[in-house]
Amino acid sequence: MLAVLIAGVVGLVGTLVGTRFAISVLVKKGYGQLIRDDGPTSHHVKRGTPTMGGLVIIVSTVLGYAIAKLITGHETSASALLLLFLFVGLGAIGFLDDWIKVSKQRSLGLRSKAKMIGQILVGLVFAVLAIGWEDGDGQTPITHAISFTRDLPWTLPTVLLVLWVLLMIAGASNGVNLTDGLDGLATGASVMVFGAYVLINVWQSNQSCFMPDAGPKCYEVRDPLDLAVVASAVTGACFGFLWWNASPAKIFMGDTGSLSLGGLMAGFALMTRTELLLAVIGGLFVIITFSVILQVGYFKLSGGKRIFRMAPLQHHFELKGWAEITIVVRFWIISGICVVSGIGLFYWEWVAGAF
């Protein structure tokens, strides 16, 4: 548990201090955010705000985990290393996207096809290793079963399992990317989601089937306490970054942050056997993603009509005249309700079958 605490503190301090330094460097080099002309006109004042801040979140998270392991003397686990690989790999794709935007001075970075290929390659390596990396007890970080709060009876053959992993990674990373449109919105929601996974991982560690007094509803999750260390590190890192990203934002996380954070959420869901529960815990990201799907689908089917004034959903309320900070706080409330509901379902399932 000491490692969990240390990782969170290091992640928090890392972004509180590191982001301030990053802002200075990015401003001097002129690496500011470009604003799309088809977005809300109120966003034009944000033009030039430093971007690629997600790089500070990634570095602080990795440092938080590494320093926690160093101080406590605990060995690293395969599960944690795979999660960090997924996190850094997707962050690299996002960084390339952001770099093209600021260096080429255009609002669109990587082509959608190139970005998707990158996500698939990183996700494929993660999936193959996570499915086949057994420990001494024959456990792998990811199982062939579909899960809600634990593995369900339904299992997938390896090919379909890999596709399922890729779908989850792409869906979650793009969901956070779509949500990252207002100051602090995606960062604040991410703090809540990763905070939930700190609790889930600690609980699974305390209720592990490998403990001597394991109960009837124990969890066969590999390396749960080490996963909690990673979750704590990224929670602290997002919290510290929010200090600078809150309205009016001094820096944006960019695709560097949104793609990596979304992919990490999917990784936690897969490794903690809470894949379907992620749709509840990350409910805000699901709602915003579906607003885009509904808008595009209805536009095509109706011959040009729209459900919302603009998608993603947060921009619809902007065009209705809501203040940006009002939208962010209210969406945080929705995210909080989703997270609490997810944790409640997780605990209820254990209580219902433990006695």
Side-chain angles (χ1 to χ4, degrees), residues 14 58 62 82 89 142 161 173 177 179 198 206 314 319 345 349:
I58 294 172
V62 174
L82 284 171
I142 295 177
L161 177 59
S173 59
N177 185 251
T179 305
V198 174
N206 292 336
Q314 63 268 30
L319 296 182
L345 285 171
E349 187 275 341

Side-chain angles (χ1 to χ4, degrees), residues 234-249:
V234 72
T235 301
C238 287
F239 222 146
F241 185 76
L242 185 59
W243 179 273
W244 304 102
N245 186 230
S247 182

Side-chain angles (χ1 to χ4, degrees), residues 135-341:
D135 62 8
D137 298 310
Q139 275 191 312
T140 56
I142 295 177
T143 69
H144 285 259
I146 299 295
S147 60
F148 182 58
T149 57
R150 61 181 74 241
D151 285 348
L152 298 172
W154 316 311
T155 59
L156 297 174
T158 301
V159 174
L160 290 181
L161 177 59
V162 170
L163 292 176
W164 170 244
V165 172
L166 293 177
L167 179 63
M168 284 204 63
I169 292 172
S173 59
N174 288 308
V176 178
N177 185 251
L178 290 171
T179 305
D180 185 33
L182 300 182
D183 295 353
L185 177 57
T187 309
S190 295
V191 168
M192 300 181 207
V193 172
F194 289 121
Y197 275 109
V198 174
L199 296 177
I200 288 172
N201 282 306
V202 170
W203 181 258
Q204 288 179 333
S205 176
N206 292 336
Q207 304 297 324
S208 171
C209 292
F210 294 92
M211 296 182 69
D213 56 346
K217 293 290 283 186
C218 58
Y219 296 93
E220 295 184 6
V221 175
R222 180 170 169 180
D223 311 313
L225 193 56
D226 213 28
L227 294 179
V229 177
V230 178
S232 179
V234 72
T235 301
C238 287
F239 222 146
F241 185 76
L242 185 59
W243 179 273
W244 304 102
N245 186 230
S247 182
K250 300 294 188 297
I251 190 172
F252 301 136
M253 69 167 68
D255 282 12
T256 308
S258 59
L259 292 183
S260 59
L261 291 174
L264 190 61
M265 290 178 193
F268 272 115
L270 289 159
M271 289 188 173
T272 58
R273 316 292 193 262
T274 57
E275 297 159 25
L276 300 180
L277 187 65
L278 180 61
V280 180
I281 294 175
L284 176 66
F285 302 112
V286 174
I287 291 169
I288 289 176
T289 301
F290 268 98
S291 73
V292 176
I293 295 173
L294 287 173
Q295 182 86 325
V296 173
Y298 187 74
F299 184 84
K300 292 180 177 180
L301 292 174
S302 65
K305 296 182 180 179
R306 293 178 171 83
I307 299 175
F308 309 107
R309 295 188 180 185
M310 186 177 181
L313 187 60
Q314 63 268 30
H315 298 318
H316 166 78
F317 291 105
E318 277 192 289
L319 296 182
K320 282 178 65 69
W322 289 23
E324 180 175 0
I325 190 64
T326 300
I327 300 170
V328 170
V329 172
R330 287 178 177 173
F331 275 38
W332 280 351
I333 293 171
I334 294 172
S335 181
I337 292 171
C338 292
V339 168
V340 170
S341 299

Side-chain angles (χ1 to χ4, degrees), residues 21-38:
F21 174 75
I23 292 172
S24 300
V25 173
L26 293 170
V27 168
K28 287 180 180 178
K29 292 184 176 293
Y31 293 157
Q33 178 71 42
L34 295 170
I35 304 299
R36 295 177 62 176
D37 294 330
D38 57 350

Side-chain angles (χ1 to χ4, degrees), residues 9-26 50-61 63 236-237 240-241 243-244 250-251:
V9 172
V10 173
L12 174 65
V13 174
T15 47
L16 277 175
V17 177
T19 306
R20 182 67 189 90
F21 174 75
I23 292 172
S24 300
V25 173
L26 293 170
T51 187
M52 297 186 288
L55 187 61
V56 185
I57 298 176
I58 294 172
V59 172
S60 298
T61 299
L63 278 177
F241 185 76
W243 179 273
W244 304 102
K250 300 294 188 297
I251 190 172

